[in-house]
């Protein structure tokens, strides 16, 4: 890859002259090649030299129905030739109206109002501000704090980072952030030996109750990633926690914010993860898969009740104040509508159930591996937890970057896998075939073998 005539290397060199990439120590690119992708096709990414990589992580969990999906592309092209954008204050447009109708139709009952933003973190900012402002408008200005779960990730703008608890992203910027109350995550991996996931959930709810008992009077909302804490290492928990959380939020008069940015749109086996507990949150944040992975867009859904707390004569000063230049962008709304149409027209969730079962069978042998402490799965998210010592679950040292070795092995063998620390995970596009999943598992298994050697 260092041959200067090589097309990938030439593009990478040009990139590195001016571009600063996210979530990257740029120095790494002195030894790790930056990969220029020029085309996508189904679950595959194709580089400048025609090499193909199976997108095992849906390009940061955004892509649902494949790259360059023809149906979404056609909707986008038509919209681009009709109306690309219009200010969303004082004006509206059909794609936003239809999208709001569709989101209200498919989300859990009671979520009847839609506020658009343009990425996941921005949706979190909106939900936090809206919850705080609701309580203020109701005469409870003393509610200024939030409760977040340990191991949570809600984005990296300052507000979203404030309610996140992944040290890698948070530690450095901590002096700039709000300080949430942290409730222990119901993450089943953190359970006591012999404890079932449901028992962990029950115990964690008691701890949450104790926290609410002391702090509910100053707390606006509890924010959680339903069922799977994704960036925190694909940590999974029992739906009972969400049902109990709903009851506690009602009992203690705090909002329940469901961050379904990563888990929404069929990822966990149901359209939304909250459905598995039969609950409706007060706020639901959506993004990532919303446009099928084509354009940035996010939405915060809330209740008529919350909306009404802001609805008053102008002079009352109760209006919600938050705006982005590209709020409700028509192109992004069209991409979202085309994506949701695929869910309507095709048996996506059934197909996913079969694919998820297939993936589970293929991953089964890894459970026996001496450096695999757990293989866990929720729908179309599967994760393999690598450890230095299986009996004690002692982790590999972070500096060893075992996950990076899996990543590099993957690229050499035609698969994009991007482990989170020592957690190798699979979050494929829904259009991946059973044999494509087989390839992902084969490459990952060989990559794990290499990564744990020495
Ligand atoms: C990715 C993610 C976000 C942030 O979304 P961005 O679009 O990356 O800002 C928030 N919450 C969860 C659960 C996520 O996975």
């Amino acid at each position: 890859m260092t041959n200067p005539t090589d097309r990938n290397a030439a593009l990478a060199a040009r990139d590195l002259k001016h571009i600063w990439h996210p979530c990257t120590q740029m120095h790494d690119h002195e030894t790790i090649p930056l990969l220029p992708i020029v085309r996508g096709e189904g679950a595959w990414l194709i580089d400048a030299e025609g090499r193909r990589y199976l997108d095992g992580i849906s390009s940061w969990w955004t892509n649902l129905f494949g790259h360059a999906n023809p149906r979404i592309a056609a909707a986008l092209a038509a919209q681009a030739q009709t109306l690309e954008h219009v200010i969303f204050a004082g004006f509206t447009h059909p794609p936003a109206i239809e999208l709001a109708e569709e989101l209200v139709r498919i989300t859990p009952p009671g979520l009847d109002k839609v506020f658009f933003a343009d990425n996941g973190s921005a949706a979190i900012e909106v939900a936090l501000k809206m919850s705080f402002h609701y309580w203020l408008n109701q005469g409870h200005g003393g509610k200024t704090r939030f409760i977040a779960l340990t191991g949570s990730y809600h984005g990296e703008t300052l507000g979203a980072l404030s309610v996140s608890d992944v040290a890698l992203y948070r530690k450095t910027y901590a002096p700039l952030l709000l300080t949430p109350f942290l409730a222990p995550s119901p993450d089943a991996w953190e359970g006591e030996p012999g404890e079932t996931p449901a028992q962990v959930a029950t115990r964690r709810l008691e701890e949450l109750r104790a926290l609410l008992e002391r702090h509910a009077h100053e707390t606006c909302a509890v924010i959680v990633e339903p069922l799977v804490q994704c960036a925190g290492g694909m940590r999974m928990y029992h739906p009972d926690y969400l049902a109990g959380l709903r009851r506690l939020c009602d009992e203690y008069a705090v909002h329940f914010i469901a961050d379904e940015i990563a888990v929404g749109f069929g990822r966990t086996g149901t359209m939304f993860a909250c459905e598995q507990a039969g609950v409706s949150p007060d706020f639901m944040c959506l993004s990532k898969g919303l446009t099928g992975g084509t354009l940035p867009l996010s939405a915060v859904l809330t209740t008529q009740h919350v909306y009404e707390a802001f609805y008053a004569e102008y002079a009352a000063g109760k209006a919600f104040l938050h705006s982005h230049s590209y709020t409700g962008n028509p192109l992004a709304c069209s991409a979202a509508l085309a994506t949701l149409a695929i869910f309507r027209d095709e048996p996506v969730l059934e197909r996913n159930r079969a694919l998820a079962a297939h993936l589970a069978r293929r991953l089964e042998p890894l459970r026996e591996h001496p450096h695999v402490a757990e293989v866990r799965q929720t729908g179309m998210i599967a994760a393999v937890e690598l450890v230095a010592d299986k009996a004690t679950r002692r982790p590999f040292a972070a500096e060893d970057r075992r996950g990076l070795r899996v990543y590099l092995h993957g690229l050499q063998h035609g698969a994009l896998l991007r482990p989170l620390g020592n957690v190798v995970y699979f979050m494929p596009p829904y259009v991946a075939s059973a044999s494509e999943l087989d390839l992902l598992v084969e490459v990952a298994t060989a990559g794990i073998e290499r990564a744990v050697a020495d």
Side-chain angles (χ1 to χ4, degrees):
M1 293 238 178
T2 48
N3 176 353
T5 59
D6 157 316
R7 276 186 227 170
N8 281 348
L11 281 170
R14 271 171 67 196
D15 171 291
L16 291 171
K17 204 158 177 185
H18 298 297
I19 299 179
W20 194 342
H21 289 267
C23 203
T24 300
Q25 169 48 264
M26 293 303 294
H27 182 273
D28 277 358
H29 285 309
E30 291 194 7
T31 49
I32 300 170
L34 177 70
L35 257 185
I37 297 299
V38 295
R39 211 156 58 77
E41 194 181 274
W44 295 86
L45 295 164
I46 298 149
D47 76 13
E49 287 159 28
R51 276 195 288 269
R52 297 160 68 85
Y53 308 87
L54 187 52
D55 189 352
I57 62 161
S58 298
S59 283
W60 258 345
W61 324 341
T62 60
N63 193 290
L64 305 186
F65 298 116
H67 292 281
N69 179 288
R71 188 163 176 184
I72 302 173
L76 266 175
Q79 188 59 45
Q81 289 166 336
T82 310
L83 175 70
E84 79 307 330
H85 189 58
V86 59
I87 177 174
F88 206 58
F91 291 79
T92 190
H93 53 82
I97 296 167
E98 283 168 42
L99 178 57
E101 287 169 351
E102 186 64 0
L103 288 173
V104 166
R105 190 180 74 76
I106 64 176
T107 49
L111 296 168
D112 292 331
K113 294 288 175 185
V114 181
F115 192 96
F116 288 112
D118 43 25
N119 61 64
S121 302
I124 299 297
E125 302 291 335
V126 167
L128 299 177
K129 284 174 70 178
M130 213 177 247
S131 173
F132 161 77
H133 199 164
Y134 165 90
W135 294 114
L136 181 68
N137 282 351
Q138 300 288 70
H140 299 290
K143 280 181 177 279
T144 57
R145 308 286 300 271
F146 295 91
I147 294 176
L149 297 182
T150 54
S152 59
Y153 177 93
H154 297 290
E156 292 172 56
T157 54
L158 295 180
L161 190 57
S162 291
V163 289
S164 298
D165 181 48
V166 177
L168 174 68
Y169 307 113
R170 192 180 204 282
K171 206 171 58 193
T172 310
Y173 305 102
L176 307 182
L177 305 178
L178 305 170
T179 39
F181 299 115
L182 284 179
S185 168
D187 171 10
W189 164 261
E190 297 279 351
E192 305 290 341
E195 216 177 11
T196 65
Q199 287 166 336
V200 180
T202 304
R203 182 161 59 83
R204 293 315 196 188
L205 283 168
E206 283 160 23
E207 292 165 308
L208 177 62
R209 174 186 287 282
L211 192 64
L212 285 165
E213 192 66 55
R214 288 198 305 281
H215 297 293
H217 68 282
E218 53 180 327
T219 299
C220 301
V222 181
I223 180 166
V224 303
E225 293 161 87
L227 297 188
V228 187
Q229 294 185 293
C230 293
M234 300 298 166
R235 295 300 181 80
M236 299 176 185
Y237 62 87
H238 197 278
D240 278 2
Y241 187 82
L242 298 173
L245 174 61
R246 177 68 276 176
R247 288 193 295 274
L248 286 175
C249 286
D250 290 339
E251 185 178 338
Y252 286 93
V254 302
H255 289 139
F256 170 178
I257 302 175
D259 174 355
E260 293 231 10
I261 290 166
V263 296
F265 302 106
R267 193 47 84 175
T268 65
T270 43
M271 192 61 171
F272 299 100
C274 281
E275 290 171 32
Q276 294 185 39
V279 296
S280 294
D282 299 294
F283 298 91
M284 183 182 271
C285 300
L286 301 173
S287 188
K288 289 205 166 98
L290 173 58
T291 61
T294 54
L295 281 173
L297 177 70
S298 61
V300 179
L301 280 89
T302 189
T303 61
Q304 181 69 24
H305 175 76
V306 166
Y307 178 80
E308 279 169 10
F310 294 79
Y311 199 83
E313 293 292 343
Y314 183 84
K318 288 189 169 184
F320 183 55
L321 291 171
H322 189 94
S323 51
H324 294 289
S325 317
Y326 283 97
T327 301
N329 174 255
L331 291 168
C333 289
S334 297
L337 281 169
T339 301
L340 296 181
I342 297 174
F343 278 101
R344 273 199 315 276
D345 296 347
E346 296 177 21
V348 177
L349 297 181
E350 283 99 296
R351 222 165 48 205
N352 279 1
R353 265 192 282 282
L355 280 173
H358 181 84
L359 184 58
R361 280 193 300 275
R362 293 300 165 163
L363 287 173
E364 195 57 37
L366 269 174
R367 290 182 193 278
E368 306 309 320
H369 192 284
H371 287 285
V372 171
E374 185 174 68
V375 177
R376 53 180 175 263
Q377 187 174 351
T378 303
M380 289 287 272
I381 307 175
V384 177
E385 183 102 23
L386 303 184
V387 287
D389 185 83
K390 190 160 178 149
T392 62
R393 291 187 163 190
R394 181 169 53 83
F396 283 114
E399 317 81 78
D400 286 358
R401 304 182 80 181
R402 306 274 169 171
L404 178 63
R405 302 189 203 177
V406 177
Y407 170 76
L408 293 172
H409 177 87
L411 293 184
Q412 282 158 11
H413 295 85
L416 167 51
L417 299 161
R418 199 173 188 277
L420 293 156
N422 294 319
V423 177
V424 180
Y425 72 89
F426 305 84
M427 212 150 152
Y430 305 163
V431 294
S433 65
S435 59
E436 286 168 340
L437 295 184
D438 292 350
L439 175 64
L440 278 182
V441 174
E442 266 165 46
V443 174
T445 303
I448 288 169
E449 254 349 302
R450 257 172 86 168
V452 301
D454 77 88

